[in-house]
Amino acid sequence: MRTRLTDILDIEHPVMLAGMGGVSYSDLVVAVSEAGGFGCLGASTMSDDELDAEMADVRSRTDKPYGVDLLTAAGDQTAKVERIIAAGATVYVAGLGVPREVIDLCHAKGVLVMNMCGKVRHAVDAVEAGCDIVVAQGTEAGGHTGRIATNTLVPLIVDAVGDRVPVVAAGGIFDGRGLASALTLGADGIWVGTRFIATPEAHTVEGYKEKLVAMAEDDTTVSRAYTGKTCRVVRNRYTEEFEAAGGQAEPFPMQYIKSVQDGANHLGAEGRPEGFDPDKEFWPAGQGAGGIQDLVPAAELVERFVAEAEQALARAQGAVTA
Ligand SMILES: Cc1cc2nc3c(=O)[nH]c(=O)nc-3n(C[C@H](O)[C@H](O)[C@H](O)COP(=O)(O)O)c2cc1C
């Protein structure tokens, strides 16, 4: 399925794996890129050595394009971006803020810059600063999120910047109907997080994937409990106690450190770490978790997204009576 996005990224299908910190490691990235989508490492929780090892692993297993996502809010990213460029990633994705200081550096080396946006103003700022692709991420999304719904945000961002750069829709997309919907709203593809956690390839602690299969669409909450910023997560005892105590958080990243010290945050770990309690864990998840019924290999998910979108687009045409 070709679009403006597949052309600029040099991939086959307009399906991007979100660069989820703690979850999108090399196994998942390789599976998605090899299937013709776009794999993206979530490096926000990785040390430099870990990032280097993950990028080397991706490159040893696929020649296909892939990206790396970092949290811009974590300060000047120049040194990390230099590592990304040296390792052969083709896209740098900036979460939480426009990465002004590295855009020229990326362009000089032929690396595209993509920015996460939760408001129209973020997208305009990103494009004016020189970003090549924007993600319109609606509030339904897992992880750090804003207040505007995907169905509203995507066409507004398409209107504001879609004539200049490809727009990618994110937030609550769990099957091919979401891809079809994104395309009809004027987007050029999708950026999917939560659905890809429920795959054998995702890097998680015990129970996270199974929780996503079991939960309903209203089992998430937007909380500052784990990072200090508004983050959509699985609602649990830790988030309920945080709200009951008044919901006062330290600024980012102090609250992140606090949740680690509380034994509630093992994002980036696997298995069953010491002190692990599933009812306290930092499990970012979007409302689309309500639509996840089973664990599916990531490559199969990419194929399903495309096939279901084609069906949904044909169905939509057939639904219109003369
Ligand atoms: C576990 C998890 C970790 C995430 N970490 C990051 C991150 O480090 N950087 C970022 O830009 N977005 C991050 N996000 C947000 C995703 O990039 C993406 O926008 C979101 O998952 C899309 O919505 P969906 O989960 O409904 O598919 C994360 C999301 C999840 C679920």
Side-chain angles (χ1 to χ4, degrees):
M1 180 182 272
R2 309 220 46 160
T3 68
R4 197 162 56 138
L5 183 73
T6 63
D7 290 346
I8 190 173
L9 294 176
D10 193 22
I11 56 174
E12 288 163 56
H13 305 303
V15 178
M16 304 184 78
L17 163 68
M20 295 178 282
V23 173
S24 300
Y25 278 60
S26 55
D27 287 347
L28 191 50
V29 171
V30 170
V32 171
S33 285
E34 277 290 298
F38 189 87
C40 186
L41 284 172
S44 60
T45 61
M46 291 181 196
S47 66
D48 286 350
D49 287 347
E50 199 176 7
L51 174 58
D52 288 346
E54 289 293 315
M55 293 190 295
D57 193 40
V58 172
R59 257 301 156 257
S60 72
R61 292 159 64 194
T62 183
D63 297 333
K64 305 263 174 138
Y66 80 100
V68 179
D69 180 298
L70 299 171
L71 280 188
T72 316
D76 187 346
Q77 299 296 303
T78 307
K80 278 210 188 262
V81 170
E82 279 167 350
R83 298 180 108 85
I84 292 172
I85 293 168
T90 58
V91 178
Y92 160 52
V93 184
L96 294 179
V98 179
R100 296 178 199 285
E101 69 285 357
V102 295
I103 294 175
D104 287 346
L105 171 66
C106 287
H107 287 169
K109 303 288 183 183
V111 170
L112 296 169
V113 181
M114 189 161 133
N115 205 194
M116 304 296 298
C117 304
K119 285 184 180 188
V120 173
R121 185 174 50 75
H122 297 162
V124 172
D125 287 352
V127 173
E128 282 174 0
C131 291
D132 305 285
I133 306 171
V134 295
V135 181
Q137 188 206 268
T139 186
E140 299 93 317
H144 291 125
T145 195
R147 292 166 175 266
I148 314 299
T150 305
N151 219 39
T152 303
L153 188 66
V154 171
L156 291 179
I157 289 187
V158 166
D159 286 348
V161 301
D163 58 340
R164 287 179 276 171
V165 298
V167 176
V168 184
I173 298 173
F174 61 89
D175 68 15
R177 289 171 296 179
L179 171 55
S181 162
L183 295 173
T184 57
L185 292 174
D188 303 283
I190 53 172
W191 169 261
V192 180
T194 302
R195 185 61 192 90
F196 276 114
I197 305 175
T199 59
E201 296 92 342
H203 178 107
T204 70
V205 291
E206 232 175 77
Y208 190 175
K209 301 174 188 184
E210 292 73 17
K211 178 71 185 177
L212 296 181
V213 172
M215 64 196 273
E217 75 282 7
D218 61 349
D219 286 335
T220 69
T221 186
V222 175
S223 176
R224 294 183 190 269
Y226 295 102
T227 70
K229 291 182 179 288
T230 50
C231 194
R232 187 176 294 283
V233 297
V234 174
R235 193 175 55 247
N236 60 22
R237 203 176 75 244
Y238 191 74
T239 62
E240 300 274 277
E241 287 175 0
F242 175 82
E243 296 311 327
Q248 291 303 313
E250 304 279 332
F252 178 86
M254 269 90 84
Q255 187 70 24
Y256 189 95
I257 295 164
K258 182 174 185 313
S259 68
V260 172
Q261 286 167 348
D262 286 347
N265 185 344
H266 297 89
L267 199 64
E270 282 188 301
R272 213 179 161 78
E274 210 186 314
F276 167 80
D277 174 354
D279 202 27
K280 282 173 73 174
E281 273 301 308
F282 180 29
W283 282 348
Q287 293 177 335
I292 300 176
Q293 317 302 345
D294 46 5
L295 302 192
V296 177
E300 192 181 322
L301 269 188
V302 173
E303 285 165 25
R304 281 196 198 179
F305 269 111
V306 174
E308 290 167 359
E310 282 165 351
Q311 282 167 17
L313 290 169
R315 190 197 160 276
Q317 278 196 319
V320 178
T321 50

